[in-house]
Amino acid sequence: MAIEQVGIVGAGQMGNGIAHVFAVAGYDVLLTDVSEDALTKAVALIDRNLTRQVTRDMISDADKVAAMKRITTTPKLTNLGSADLIIEAATERETIKQAIFEDLIPHIKPDTILTSNTSSISITRLASRTDRPEKFMGFHFMNPVPIMQLVELIRGIATDQDTFAACEQVVERLGKTSTASEDFPAFIVNRILMPMINEAIYTLYEGVGSVQSIDTSLKLGANHPMGPLELADFIGLDTCLAIMNVLHDGLADTKYRPCPLLTKYVEAGWLGRKSKRGFYDYRGDVPVPTR
């Protein structure tokens, strides 16, 4: 099927980035969120990020104007009924995602492809709660979406080849690279990345090194662009914990047990950059380690 109109559920960090890249690639984008304030902020952020791309000669002024015209927002989920492809980018809670798809199904076209940007939840399980498991798959963008080049495509057990091929073509039109992952907890990137971050938190928890020494060691000793604790703050400590719990529950291996210190930070509401405190305190001009 020809995909021209894309519906995106969720106007947060991932949703606004996904809307951005689809609009630049020439797709008509309908962005929805339960919060009208979130929609307003998302459009303003997309505008700023497009301006930044113009100043860096990545796109032209005309490209920016055209992209902004392609983005429409709505607080009503059911208004996504005309979309050819829907990407759910809501919070990483399975019950919320299931409720979104159940609410959408009566209003969408028979051939609409449903996808989730989930970073860890079973695609097969999400698909089983819909009327079209063969037209359902994982469409996992990396953060920040306009910059990161990878998209993980995850087949559920029932996903058909036509659906996979259609999503593969979409990724190509976006100018990004796709990798195919089987539907196992956390897929490829987070299956490898999150245990590394969790181990860095254990290293801090056990007093092996400070926040600064751990991040400096990985940046200079392993040539990582960001230290693991800095990266955890960027991702969101609540998201890191949720993915580690999915790995631990889904694979039943103690090596995926979330570090107690990660749990404590989340319980304190210190979620990283988005809450201004995590392994670093971001309330001043320069981030300061909190341990």
Side-chain angles (χ1 to χ4, degrees):
M1 64 174 291
I3 295 173
E4 293 301 332
Q5 187 176 76
V6 179
I8 299 165
V9 183
Q13 191 175 39
M14 296 303 294
N16 76 69
I18 295 168
H20 174 140
V21 298
F22 271 91
V24 170
Y27 291 96
D28 292 324
V29 175
L30 190 55
L31 179 63
T32 187
D33 197 285
V34 292
S35 165
E36 291 200 47
D37 184 54
L39 290 170
T40 301
K41 288 179 178 177
V43 171
L45 180 58
I46 292 168
D47 187 80
R48 288 197 302 274
N49 287 338
L50 286 169
T51 299
R52 188 175 293 118
Q53 289 185 316
V54 171
T55 60
R56 294 176 181 174
D57 294 323
M58 297 170 70
I59 61 172
S60 68
D61 277 312
D63 292 333
K64 177 195 167 181
V65 171
M68 291 302 297
K69 285 181 178 177
R70 293 187 191 105
I71 299 172
T72 305
T73 64
T74 176
K76 292 185 178 180
L77 181 67
T78 54
N79 286 345
L80 268 59
S82 60
D84 304 312
L85 167 69
I86 293 175
I87 302 171
E88 172 275 313
T91 188
E92 193 71 352
R93 288 175 56 188
E94 188 167 348
T95 53
I96 291 174
K97 294 179 185 296
Q98 287 174 344
I100 287 167
F101 289 121
E102 286 170 6
D103 288 346
L104 272 171
I105 285 167
H107 305 280
I108 59 178
K109 300 181 294 186
D111 57 352
T112 296
I113 294 174
L114 291 176
T115 69
S116 177
N117 184 58
T118 180
S119 53
S120 60
I121 297 169
S122 168
I123 298 303
T124 298
R125 197 162 62 239
L126 287 174
S128 72
R129 299 291 293 270
T130 75
D131 65 342
R132 62 195 70 201
E134 73 285 351
K135 290 188 175 298
F136 191 107
M137 62 181 292
F139 209 134
H140 182 214
F141 289 84
M142 306 295 121
N143 185 35
V145 180
I147 295 171
M148 301 296 281
Q149 289 301 302
L150 181 71
V151 180
E152 282 184 313
L153 296 179
I154 306 101
R155 289 183 178 92
I157 197 168
T159 306
D160 64 30
Q161 180 56 33
D162 287 345
T163 299
F164 183 85
C167 289
E168 205 171 31
Q169 288 171 9
V170 168
V171 175
E172 187 175 343
R173 181 168 159 182
L174 294 177
K176 295 187 182 293
T177 300
S178 64
T179 55
S181 170
E182 293 301 314
D183 185 23
F184 287 96
F187 318 130
I188 295 172
V189 172
N190 284 319
R191 172 75 176 265
I192 297 167
L193 176 64
M194 284 302 161
M196 183 200 76
I197 287 175
N198 195 52
E199 192 62 28
I201 300 170
Y202 266 114
T203 305
L204 177 66
Y205 177 63
E206 294 168 2
V208 178
S210 66
V211 168
Q212 194 155 7
S213 63
I214 291 166
D215 277 352
T216 300
S217 294
L218 269 292
K219 283 192 284 189
L220 301 184
N223 204 28
H224 290 191
M226 295 173 72
L229 302 176
E230 181 186 5
L231 179 57
D233 275 357
F234 181 77
I235 294 167
L237 303 191
D238 52 340
T239 301
C240 294
L241 180 60
I243 296 170
M244 287 308 303
N245 280 327
V246 166
L247 281 165
H248 192 224
D249 294 344
L251 298 172
D253 192 322
T254 55
K255 73 181 179 180
Y256 299 117
R257 182 171 67 96
C259 179
L261 183 60
L262 174 59
T263 302
K264 189 180 292 291
Y265 268 64
V266 173
E267 289 174 344
W270 290 21
L271 308 180
R273 285 183 175 271
K274 61 186 173 185
S275 65
K276 303 297 184 185
R277 280 191 291 187
F279 293 111
Y280 292 85
D281 188 326
Y282 300 93
R283 293 174 296 175
D285 293 335
V286 178
V288 178
T290 54
R291 291 179 79 86

